[in-house]
Amino acid sequence: MAVNALTARDLSFGYPDGTAALDGLDLTIEAGERVAILGPNGAGKSTLLSLLAGLREPAGGEVSYFETGKSADDLRDRIAHCPQAPVDYLFNATVREDLEYGPAQLGIDRREAEERVDALAAEFALEGLLDKPPFRLSGGEQRRAALAAALSVEPDLLLLDEPVADVDAGHRETVLDALDRRTEAGMTLVVSTPDADLVPQVAHRVVVLDRAGSIVRDGPVRDVLTDGDLLRDVGVSPPQLVEAFQRAELDNPPLTVTDAVERLRDLDDC
Ligand SMILES: Nc1ncnc2c1ncn2[C@@H]1O[C@H](COP(=O)(O)OP(=O)(O)O)[C@@H](O)[C@H]1O
Ligand SMILES: [Mg+2]
């Protein structure tokens, strides 16, 4: 039986100003799963990811990781979190130092750390940016740099908050391909997003949060994303392909452009 990468039980959190972000949330994710947390702005996605990353203390409930009984702090070599605002993750003088930071904290030797930085810089097209201060980078560049920094520890569990916000089309493929490679190698991925179109590209399971931070649906991507009424009810637009096929009263809507092309060709043949 697969090990659980994380188990959150009865998780609650409120901000000091009285905002109740999460109230009694339960979530179990198996090792190797690719899960999207989908919900409108303010649903509590970022709050949930920061709690799962151990960056905030829950008001109630608990999170356990890899069935180890250890805290997220004790598992810094296995868990990485990339926050919604990438600058929150980039606090060194240069991008290179940010990429070296994680491996240095884990005591990885300098030579191996340098190899990792070079490989990540090439993978995320950061070579020309390594000596720049992170705050001088564009939004999309910062996001790629923060993701590369998170991956520098080679985590088993990556918690990723809106991974392609601000990223242009070409680099979006770069990011998605990089995530595919990691998940194919066994990494567990949890991605938060308000964008249903992104979900089929990063996940096979989707957890939908409503505005009150409650889970209103948890299931396979196809089942959940073809339920347009449920998504609209929580304030999320259904994927554009689903919307188009449903409005045209065509059943079994495609979730990817490749599938859509195939369906349209089949229709053309009829
Ligand atoms: N530091 C904070 N202080 C007070 N309220 C906050 C703070 N951060 C977030 N919130 C509130 O908590 C709720 C959940 O926010 P967040 O987790 O950022 O949602 P999401 O990521 O789904 O857009 C929102 O109502 C937001 O306004
Ligand atoms: Mg957020």
Side-chain angles (χ1 to χ4, degrees), residues 62-175:
E62 56 178 22
V63 187
S64 55
Y65 305 92
F66 298 106
E67 302 177 16
T68 57
K70 290 185 179 167
S71 71
D73 249 357
D74 291 333
L75 293 167
R76 286 290 155 225
D77 57 332
R78 300 190 68 185
I79 303 171
H81 169 239
C82 211
Q84 180 162 1
V87 281
D88 289 350
Y89 203 70
L90 303 167
F91 44 82
N92 286 289
T94 64
V95 171
R96 184 190 304 280
E97 286 172 39
D98 271 317
L99 298 193
E100 287 170 349
Y101 183 81
Q105 289 290 302
L106 299 182
I108 288 163
D109 80 51
R110 183 139 191 96
R111 211 188 156 81
E112 149 121 40
E114 279 168 9
E115 279 171 18
R116 282 191 193 184
V117 171
D118 289 345
L120 286 164
E123 187 175 17
F124 290 94
L126 296 168
E127 289 113 322
L129 305 172
L130 285 175
D131 296 318
K132 283 194 166 204
F135 65 86
R136 295 254 188 256
L137 269 46
S138 78
E141 290 170 345
Q142 283 176 345
R143 198 163 294 279
R144 276 150 46 215
L147 179 54
L151 288 171
S152 68
V153 300
E154 301 188 346
D156 295 322
L157 167 63
L158 178 62
L159 304 159
L160 204 48
D161 204 342
E162 302 207 16
V164 292
D166 318 324
V167 176
D168 65 52
H171 289 113
R172 190 180 155 109
E173 289 309 309
T174 303
V175 168

Side-chain angles (χ1 to χ4, degrees), residues 7 17 24 32 34 38 52 75 81 89 127 147 158 168 174 186 204 206 208 217 238 241 255:
T7 311
D17 69 356
R34 298 156 45 114
L38 176 67
L52 297 179
L75 293 167
H81 169 239
Y89 203 70
E127 289 113 322
L147 179 54
L158 178 62
D168 65 52
T174 303
H204 59 77
V206 55
V208 181
R217 190 74 184 268
L241 291 169
L255 295 178

Side-chain angles (χ1 to χ4, degrees), residues 15 17 19 21 40-47 84:
Y15 286 99
D17 69 356
T19 308
N41 296 151
K45 304 180 295 296
S46 296
T47 307
Q84 180 162 1

